[in-house]
Amino acid sequence: MKVHKEGTGFLLSMFTILFIVNVAWYYSSHRGMGFYAFLTMSAALFFLTLNFFRSPRRRFPYDPEGLVIAPADGTIVAIEEVMENEILHRRCLQISVFMSIFDVHANWFPVNGTVTHVSHQKGRTLAAYLPKSSTENERSAIIIRTRAGHEVLARQIAGAIAKRIVTYAATGDRCSVNEQMGFIKFGSRVDVYLPLDCEVLVELDQKVTGNQTPLARLSRCV
């Protein structure tokens, strides 16, 4: 499994700092149990961070036409009808995936289509599993129009310890479920807003895998 490009610089800096500190301490006159405890914690922290930035190679194994695929690894924390007032200004079905720090944090496009809108909104850093994080936290929004004419809104949301949302999508791009939409660093959430007449294929508290688990099936007609 490779390291995601968003983590290479951070991991290199982290390794360099920890290496210098541990070597300096090792050659000092005060080496003892404290040094070995710090060395163990340094290794654990580095490998935990390395695990966070893993980037698995995935491709959706079936024809994704008409399906909405999970944009991220994590747990389904919301399936509800909501009024989306920020961009779409209509009632939608919202499905939310919460990512813990142990999940892969790459985000994939949930549908094939054309990107028609990309925006970023500054905000708070509430815990990402809270419902109001969808409208109050820092977030990026991407709207994709499918070939059948459906509009699907995907929203990347920063969490309590997330420091940066990265969005690769640009207006006018053709996108595929097998392409990465972005990356959120250190704990976060992705909401997907769908037409009300879609068929939901997941349930609350279900674990899903980004680019692998179908969330819903869109209707054939718009």
Side-chain angles (χ1 to χ4, degrees):
M1 187 175 297
K2 67 176 183 177
V3 174
H4 199 280
K5 63 181 180 180
E6 298 298 337
T8 50
F10 182 85
L11 286 165
L12 183 60
S13 298
M14 183 181 186
F15 178 83
T16 302
I17 292 170
L18 291 174
F19 180 80
I20 291 173
V21 171
N22 278 281
V23 168
W25 195 345
Y26 179 82
Y27 284 105
S28 74
S29 57
H30 303 290
R31 187 169 76 249
M33 290 300 296
F35 164 74
Y36 293 105
F38 183 77
L39 178 64
T40 301
M41 287 189 294
S42 297
L45 179 61
F46 180 78
F47 283 109
L48 214 76
T49 309
L50 182 65
N51 181 68
F52 173 86
F53 282 110
R54 67 196 186 277
S55 183
R57 293 180 175 87
R58 294 177 183 166
R59 290 191 68 82
F60 187 68
Y62 311 110
D63 181 3
E65 199 63 38
L67 293 174
V68 180
I69 313 302
D73 289 15
T75 304
I76 301 293
V77 293
I79 303 173
E80 58 186 341
E81 183 179 327
V82 298
M83 181 66 191
E84 205 294 307
N85 284 313
E86 192 171 305
I87 300 173
L88 296 175
H89 304 289
R90 62 171 178 261
R91 298 200 71 79
C92 302
L93 179 72
Q94 176 186 329
I95 302 179
S96 302
V97 181
F98 172 72
M99 293 173 279
S100 76
I101 60 170
F102 301 106
D103 289 313
V104 171
H105 270 58
N107 303 151
W108 286 264
F109 288 103
V111 291
N112 293 341
T114 302
V115 177
T116 61
H117 170 94
V118 179
S119 61
H120 183 84
Q121 181 73 39
K122 291 189 178 297
R124 302 170 67 184
T125 53
L126 300 171
Y129 58 82
L130 295 174
K132 59 184 178 181
S133 68
S134 296
T135 54
E136 296 188 22
N137 279 20
E138 182 172 351
R139 56 204 180 273
S140 289
I142 302 99
I143 296 178
I144 304 129
R145 180 177 289 275
T146 69
R147 189 168 59 180
H150 297 286
E151 280 191 323
V152 174
L153 168 61
R155 180 171 282 137
Q156 300 170 284
I157 301 167
I161 58 175
K163 298 300 181 184
R164 186 183 175 205
I165 297 174
V166 181
T167 304
Y168 304 138
T171 302
D173 285 353
R174 291 285 300 169
C175 62
S176 161
V177 297
N178 291 315
E179 297 172 344
Q180 289 191 3
M181 179 176 70
F183 194 95
I184 314 178
K185 297 185 178 181
F186 299 110
S188 43
R189 165 177 173 153
V190 179
D191 291 347
V192 181
Y193 295 84
L194 307 171
L196 291 176
D197 60 353
C198 70
E199 177 189 358
V200 178
L201 303 175
V202 290
E203 55 189 30
L204 281 175
D205 299 320
Q206 179 178 333
K207 291 288 291 183
V208 296
T209 303
N211 185 240
Q212 299 293 291
T213 307
L215 298 182
R217 181 177 288 108
L218 298 168
S219 64
R220 293 183 180 274
C221 301
V222 178

